Amino acid sequence: MTLWDLDTPTPLVELPRLQSNIADMAGLAAAHGKRLRPHVKTHKSPDIARMQASAGVSGITVAKLGEAEAFAEAGFDEIFIANLLVGGIKMRRLVRLASRVSVTVGVDSLTALDLLKQGLQGFGVSVGLMIEVDTGHGRAGVKQPDQAAALARSAAESASLALRGLYTHEGHVYRAQADRIADVCERAVSLLCACRTRISGETDAAEAIVSVGSTPGADEMVRQDAVKEIRPGNYVFYDAGQVRLGRSAERCALTVLTTVIARPSATEALVDAGTKALSGDRDPVYGYGFVEGDPRARLDWCSEEHGHVHLGLSDRRPRVGDKVRIVPAHACTCTNMHPFLNLVDDEHVVGRLPVAARDRLT
Ligand SMILES: Cc1ncc(COP(=O)(O)O)c(C=O)c1O
C-alpha cells in the first residue's frame, strides 16, 4: 500500500528522515561528550524511543507522570520527568513508579519539595531530584542561585531524594531570532553555572549534572563545557516552527496527509485537516503549517475540521480530490492528536506506530 491509498487526515512519518534526524543528534551529542536524554513527548512512541536508544541515549525525558508510566510499561527504566509534581495522588503514583524503575523529578520551590519529601517518606524508595532553573523562558524554575542552594539544603535532609543536579528548558530560544540563539544559550548556561557553584557549597552533589533541553539550542549547548546532558525532543521530526528558525524543510519527518475538499478561489484551498488533526499550535510565520515541498503554501487559518491554505505566494494549484501533505506548525502537539503514526518509506506504508503515551494529561 502507498501513502496515497490512506484515508485522510492521517499522520505520516518518513522513516529515512526520522532515522537520519535520530542519528545526527546522537552523533552531535557523542562528538561533544554530552549525554543525550531525549524528550519523548514529541512522539510519545516507545517504538521511536527504541530507535533513539539504539542510536545511543542515557535514559529518556518525559513531561508527565502518565507518560513515565506508559514508557515504564514499555520497558524503559531510566526516566526523568522534567516537570514539577504536586499532589497526593501523584505522590502515590510516583512511589509505585520508583519501586519499578529509576525515576527523577524536577522541583523549584521549598513548598513543593516539602510535599515531595512527605509523599515519599517511609516507602523505602529513592527518587532522583533535579532543581529547575528559569534561565529566561519565564515558565517554571528558580531565578536566583540562593533559591537553588536552599532547595539543595532541604533535599539533603531526605533519605528518599537523591539530588542529581540542575536543569532548564531554554524555551525562549523559540522567541529569539536565529542569529541570537547562541547568545540566549550562553546566558542560560552562565546562570546554571552560578547555581551549580552554590549547590555544591550546600551538599556533596559536587558532580551536579547541568542538563539543558531544546532542539533549536542543541547545536550551541553541546559546545558549552558546563553542560553535561542535553534533552532535545522535537529533532526527531522537526516542524514548521524549526524551519522558521533555520532548519531545512527537507528534514521534516512528520506530515499530515490531507485531501483538498474545496477551492474557494484561485489562491485558496481547503483541506480536511484542522486543529483536530494538526493541533491548535500556530507558528508566527507558517501559521498551522505548510504544504510539504512548498513552504510558501501556508495554512493561515484552521477551524476544527478545515485547514485554509493560502496559495497566493505559491505556484501550486491543487484540484478538489488531490491529496497534499502538511508539515505541522508544532510536531509535538500534532502527534497527541492521533492514536497512531503511519511509517512511510519511499511512499510505501511500512508500519503503524501506536502513540502509546498520547493523552497522558496527569
Ligand atoms: C523541560 C523540557 N525539556 C526539553 C524539551 C525539549 O525541547 P524541544 O521541544 O525544543 O526539543 C522541552 C520542550 O518543551 C521541555 O519542556
Side-chain angles (χ1 to χ4, degrees):
M1 178 162 71
T2 78
L3 66 90
W4 306 110
D5 300 320
L6 295 167
D7 200 1
T8 62
T10 196
L12 311 173
V13 172
E14 269 197 51
L15 182 59
R17 288 187 183 185
L18 173 69
Q19 286 169 326
S20 58
N21 291 344
I22 287 175
D24 287 354
M25 189 60 80
L28 179 75
H32 291 83
K34 308 297 184 196
R35 291 187 208 161
L36 173 61
R37 187 183 287 272
H39 206 314
V40 297
K41 59 126 194 199
T42 300
H43 49 72
K44 304 164 199 68
S45 153
D47 298 298
I48 296 179
R50 277 189 273 275
M51 292 168 68
Q52 292 173 293
S54 308
V57 299
S58 312
I60 57 169
T61 305
V62 298
K64 308 295 289 209
L65 191 47
E67 289 177 354
E69 289 163 343
F71 276 90
E73 194 63 36
F76 291 82
D77 57 6
E78 166 73 50
I79 303 175
F80 173 30
I81 307 171
N83 208 340
L84 314 169
L85 298 190
V86 175
I89 300 173
K90 289 205 170 50
M91 291 305 111
R92 290 193 282 284
R93 288 167 62 197
L94 181 60
V95 166
R96 278 200 296 278
L97 186 65
S99 63
R100 295 164 55 205
V101 299
S102 160
V103 58
T104 295
V105 299
V107 71
D108 81 342
S109 71
L110 286 167
T111 312
L113 181 54
D114 282 344
L115 294 172
L116 195 56
K117 283 154 75 174
Q118 286 161 26
L120 298 178
Q121 196 176 7
F123 287 100
V125 292
S126 173
V127 170
L129 190 71
M130 294 283 278
I131 296 171
E132 179 160 6
V133 181
D134 177 6
T135 54
H137 187 33
R139 193 171 67 178
V142 300
K143 292 184 170 58
Q144 308 284 344
D146 281 356
Q147 296 170 293
L151 287 170
R153 237 181 349 257
S154 172
E157 293 161 4
S158 167
S160 314
L161 289 170
L163 183 62
R164 291 182 58 233
L166 301 149
Y167 79 103
T168 194
H169 167 51
E170 64 282 9
H172 47 310
V173 288
Y174 284 97
R175 301 193 293 267
Q177 300 294 326
D179 62 355
R180 304 299 298 161
I181 288 177
D183 189 39
V184 168
C185 292
E186 263 174 42
R187 283 163 192 257
V189 173
S190 143
L191 178 56
L192 287 161
C193 287
C195 291
R196 187 183 57 180
T197 305
R198 287 290 280 116
I199 73 166
S200 27
E202 300 296 345
T203 69
D204 57 3
E207 277 304 304
I209 292 169
V210 170
S211 173
V212 299
S214 75
T215 291
D219 285 332
E220 176 58 32
M221 284 302 198
V222 290
R223 286 176 234 290
Q224 300 285 329
D225 284 346
V227 168
K228 290 278 174 299
E229 178 178 282
I230 59 167
R231 308 182 317 276
N234 187 278
Y235 73 95
V236 290
F237 296 147
Y238 296 112
D239 54 25
Q242 306 290 345
V243 173
R244 172 175 48 86
L245 290 171
R247 194 64 60 178
S248 158
E250 308 282 303
R251 308 207 52 169
C252 294
L254 176 75
T255 53
V256 175
L257 183 71
T258 69
T259 301
V260 176
I261 54 169
R263 288 294 313 278
S265 75
T267 56
E268 295 169 286
L270 272 186
V271 293
D272 61 353
T275 54
K276 269 164 75 182
L278 295 162
S279 93
D281 277 9
R282 204 173 180 284
D283 181 76
V285 170
Y286 292 109
Y288 292 89
F290 59 78
V291 173
E292 212 270 334
D294 188 359
R296 293 169 307 169
R298 298 171 187 170
L299 271 81
D300 52 357
W301 62 264
C302 277
S303 54
E304 265 179 274
E305 312 292 359
H306 298 74
H308 179 267
V309 188
H310 177 64
L311 297 166
L313 302 171
S314 152
D315 301 330
R316 234 168 246 248
R317 294 294 178 263
R319 289 173 308 183
V320 170
D322 285 355
K323 286 182 174 168
V324 294
R325 300 167 67 171
I326 305 296
V327 175
H330 188 188
C332 314
T333 49
C334 179
T335 56
N336 199 49
M337 313 309 282
H338 302 277
F340 60 84
L341 307 170
N342 300 288
L343 200 58
V344 300
D345 190 353
D346 198 19
E347 302 202 352
H348 291 282
V349 180
V350 295
R352 216 182 209 217
L353 311 178
V355 186
R358 172 191 187 220
D359 279 347
R360 300 292 171 134
L361 293 184
T362 63

